[in-house]
Structure formats: structure tokens, C-alpha cells
Amino acid sequence: MKKLLSRIALALSLSAATTAALAQSGEITGQDANRQFVIDLGIGAIAKPRYEAADSYLIYPLPIISVGRFYLPGLGQVVDGRRRSGVFFYPAFNYLGERKASDSADLTGTRTVDWALELGLGGGLRGEHWRAFAELRQGFNGHHGQVGQLGLDGIVYPTEKWEVSFGPRADFASEDYMDTYFGVTSSEAANSGGRLTAYNAGAGFKSVGVAARASYDWNEDVRLHIQGGYDRLIGDAADSPIARGGSKDQFSLGLGVSYRFAFDIFK
């Protein structure tokens, strides 16, 4: 058990690299259905914009966490993957790397924004062929605002081993977040050499888009994943001089593999 927990702790530490939190994992075997915890942990790679509103792309680590069963003392199984429908909860997190003026000519004159970690909680309602969810995250270090997402997915099972989900997304953020990543101070505008104008970004929805994910059960413990998404900046985010110099269209494409851990802690 000690070795297992250390491996889980390592995977969770890697999960701070980028957003990756799944509400439920794939089909659970009868043996695993009797365990308190069934968690899929994995890693992959994702191509996405260098920073929000960038028109250049980098490849980042893609952590994967899927919760099949989760037990809380006093509450019991708050997540039970044996059911195809019902309420679910999951950890929500995201990591934003440092942004500096040297990253792009579009950022000339701007101050360096330190890395930020976002932690929070998500939850929703799922049926056999759909799920609706919402999540909220609190920022630390680089920004101290709040960020959230609303989503609705259709879910299909082309074969016994495949699960495919797809649907719309809407992201929103507080004024602290928006002003950190989309605002331009008067001094930054002056230092940009005319590239940027002073701008204050307010709270609200910052993007709408679509996301899709396909997972394949290689065997009872190993799953392969491919995911992609498109987001269009809107509102104050789209009106920002940083977005006008970069791109309002944001794409992503990732691949990964996960392994299933099933265990008990509370007896």
C-alpha cells in the first residue's frame, strides 16, 4: 500500500502541469467495483497556445485523472462508476506557465506574469449518453482570481472498448484573472512602442468553444486517450490589445495513456 500511495502522489504532482480532470473512468470490473477507490492516472502530451490569446503553440505535459469510485467517511461512495447515471464530483485544476515579454512580439512592453496554480472542484449530472457539469477554480501565485467552466457532452460507445464524448464549453473568470492576462497598464502601453494601448478587462465570460475526447480500453487497467478542443475568445478577453495582436482562436490536441489503481483505505 505504501508503494501504491507513493506512485499516486507522484502522479498527482505531475497533474499540476495542465488541465486534465475527468469525471468518471471507463467500465469497472466486478472485482474493482468492490473497492473504495478506483482511480485512473496517466500522462501524455498536448499541443496548445503558448499563452492565452497567443498565435504560437507549444507541447506541454498532459496529466490524466479519471475517478471511477471515490469513498468519503460518513458519506460513503460519493462517486460510483457502476452507475451510468447520477451526480458526480471531481477535482479541478490547471497550471499556467510564466508569461514574459520575450515570449512574443505581441507582448512587447508587458510585465512578467509569474506561473499560477488553480485548484478547485467540479461536479455535474450524468446520464448514459450525456453529462452536464460546472467547475470553479481558485488561482494562486500568478493570479488570485477565480476561473470556471460550464460544459455539456454527448457520450457514445461505438464499440465495447471505445467511449467518445463531445460538446460545447463556456469559460468565465473574475476581474483579477482577466486584468492579469488581458489587461494592459498605462506604463505597459508606453513601453510597448505603440503596439499596445491601455486596457482594463472586467469579469465575465472569456471564451466559448467545443471539446471532444475518445478513450480506448487497451485492457482492464490501461486506457488510451485522444482529445481536442477549440475556443473562441469573447467579451473583454477578445477586445484586449493582447488578443488583437495574437489570436482569438485557440486550438488544442493531446494524446495520453492511463493506468487503473483500485484500492481500499478505510476499513
Side-chain angles (χ1 to χ4, degrees):
M1 175 59 70
K2 184 176 181 180
K3 182 179 179 181
L4 173 60
L5 291 177
S6 65
R7 293 174 68 182
I8 292 176
L10 174 61
L12 287 173
S13 67
L14 290 173
S15 72
T18 187
T19 300
L22 307 181
Q24 292 178 304
S25 56
E27 191 70 24
I28 295 177
T29 65
Q31 180 179 357
D32 288 346
N34 294 319
R35 297 297 187 94
Q36 293 174 339
F37 299 91
V38 177
I39 300 175
D40 293 355
L41 299 175
I43 191 70
I46 186 169
K48 65 177 188 176
R50 178 186 291 267
Y51 57 88
E52 205 160 19
D55 55 7
S56 60
Y57 287 73
L58 289 177
I59 296 178
Y60 296 90
L62 174 65
I64 299 169
I65 295 182
S66 298
V67 180
R69 283 176 64 78
F70 200 88
Y71 177 88
L72 289 177
L75 296 178
Q77 297 294 151
V78 296
V79 177
D80 187 349
R82 290 176 299 181
R83 298 194 302 266
R84 286 285 191 181
S85 62
V87 175
F88 62 85
F89 299 94
Y90 60 94
F93 48 85
N94 189 32
Y95 176 82
L96 300 172
E98 180 184 70
R99 193 192 76 181
K100 42 190 192 302
S102 59
D103 288 340
S104 170
D106 300 326
L107 298 175
T108 299
T110 61
R111 64 179 178 86
T112 296
V113 178
D114 205 359
W115 62 267
L117 178 62
E118 298 170 357
L119 301 175
L121 182 68
L125 185 64
R126 170 174 174 152
E128 183 175 359
H129 293 287
W130 62 273
R131 64 172 165 249
F133 66 90
E135 66 180 54
L136 185 64
R137 307 185 301 272
Q138 171 65 49
F140 300 92
N141 199 50
H143 78 88
H144 297 88
Q146 297 77 44
V147 185
Q149 184 180 79
L150 304 175
L152 176 65
D153 281 334
I155 307 171
V156 296
Y157 309 93
T159 69
E160 183 179 352
K161 290 182 174 290
W162 281 98
E163 178 181 324
V164 179
S165 61
F166 52 90
R169 300 287 188 271
D171 291 85
F172 56 91
S174 67
E175 184 174 359
D176 183 280
Y177 177 95
M178 295 290 284
D179 214 33
T180 298
Y181 293 99
F182 296 102
V184 179
T185 66
S186 57
S187 61
E188 287 177 321
N191 294 333
S192 72
R195 289 179 176 269
L196 302 173
T197 56
Y199 181 75
N200 291 319
F205 282 93
K206 65 185 182 70
S207 67
V208 293
V210 294
R213 185 185 191 98
S215 298
Y216 175 76
D217 294 328
W218 183 266
N219 55 42
E220 290 184 354
D221 295 317
V222 179
R223 298 191 96 198
L224 307 179
H225 310 273
I226 180 171
Q227 69 178 53
Y230 164 73
D231 291 296
R232 173 75 177 183
L233 296 178
I234 61 172
D236 281 12
D239 293 337
S240 167
I242 293 175
R244 291 200 300 267
S247 176
K248 299 177 184 179
D249 299 306
Q250 308 279 279
F251 298 89
S252 66
L253 180 64
L255 298 169
V257 59
S258 62
Y259 186 85
R260 171 161 296 168
F261 298 90
F263 54 95
D264 296 321
I265 293 181
F266 305 100
K267 290 296 187 179

